[in-house]
Amino acid sequence: MFKKISTLLAVATSLALGVTGCTKGASSDATDKDMTKLTVGEVTHSIFYAPQYAAITQGFFDEEGIEIDLINTQGADKTMAALLSGEVDIGLMGPEASIYVYNKGNDNYAVNFAQLTQKDGSFLVSREKNDNFSFDQLKGKEVLGGRKGGVPEMTLEYVLKKNNLTLGTNTKSGEVNVRTDVQ
């Protein structure tokens, strides 16, 4: 049911945007009743969403008759819950939350649009300056990985394994402990 509603909403929004985009000299003085209101839930504030922030602050959505209410939902799981409950119309998050919902056999799942951002927004930082970093220096260390099962954490684990590091909790043996208990 949700899939059908989401698809219809996406098609209706696309058509509305297409028609609105074709009007000659879009008016910036649209009244509130003329505005299409959309609540967008983002998983986190990120530099990778900068084009969206610019479009909102520069009034580009307003010019097209779209009023954006941007909220931070603080995690893909919370973004998905807000989307499924109808609290938000659009959820910006990694695909993992959709996969989890779909794999549970839930009929009410989200439709994904891929590659809003094409790069992972994670950075590996340390307390001290290190001009000659190598991944071998992480042996025996703890690294904060983010939310367990989230795309940033899974990407970090992938990169560590790709650099021949062993994941685990025994830092004395040289394993890298990727912690997911601290946000």
Side-chain angles (χ1 to χ4, degrees):
M1 176 69 172
F2 183 75
K3 183 178 176 184
K4 289 179 186 177
I5 292 171
S6 294
T7 302
L8 288 174
L9 178 63
V11 169
T13 302
S14 297
L15 290 174
L17 291 174
V19 172
T20 303
C22 293
T23 59
K24 188 175 181 181
S27 173
S28 62
D29 58 352
T31 63
D32 283 344
K33 66 179 179 178
D34 296 333
M35 300 291 281
T36 299
K37 296 180 182 181
L38 292 175
T39 302
V40 178
E42 62 180 355
V43 68
T44 188
H45 289 303
S46 170
I47 190 67
F48 294 98
Y49 298 149
Q52 169 187 252
Y53 305 143
I56 291 170
T57 60
Q58 296 302 307
F60 298 151
F61 287 107
D62 292 336
E63 288 176 8
E64 297 300 327
I66 303 169
E67 179 183 328
I68 299 291
D69 180 20
L70 181 64
I71 63 172
N72 187 314
T73 51
Q74 301 181 359
D77 53 339
K78 294 174 187 76
T79 305
M80 180 57 74
L83 184 64
L84 294 177
S85 71
E87 181 183 349
V88 300
D89 301 301
I90 298 169
L92 302 178
M93 65 191 127
E96 74 277 9
S98 296
I99 294 167
Y100 298 146
V101 170
Y102 182 82
N103 282 344
K104 286 184 178 179
N106 193 334
D107 291 336
N108 189 17
Y109 57 88
V111 176
N112 287 310
F113 297 89
Q115 291 189 333
L116 176 64
T117 59
Q118 294 184 8
K119 304 289 181 195
D120 179 53
S122 301
F123 301 91
L124 186 61
V125 296
S126 71
R127 291 185 179 129
E128 290 97 33
K129 184 176 179 179
N130 185 338
D131 291 328
N132 297 310
F133 174 78
S134 74
F135 279 93
D136 284 339
Q137 294 171 347
L138 295 178
K139 288 181 180 177
K141 305 286 186 194
E142 287 188 337
V143 179
L144 300 180
R147 186 178 61 82
K148 185 168 183 59
V151 170
E153 189 264 339
M154 290 189 290
T155 302
L156 173 62
E157 288 190 8
Y158 170 80
V159 169
L160 293 174
K161 289 176 184 176
K162 193 87 167 149
N163 283 279
N164 300 314
L165 294 170
T166 304
L167 304 181
T169 58
N170 187 352
T171 55
K172 290 185 188 331
S173 71
E175 293 177 341
V176 178
N177 181 15
V178 178
R179 293 186 51 191
T180 58
D181 60 328
V182 179
Q183 296 294 321

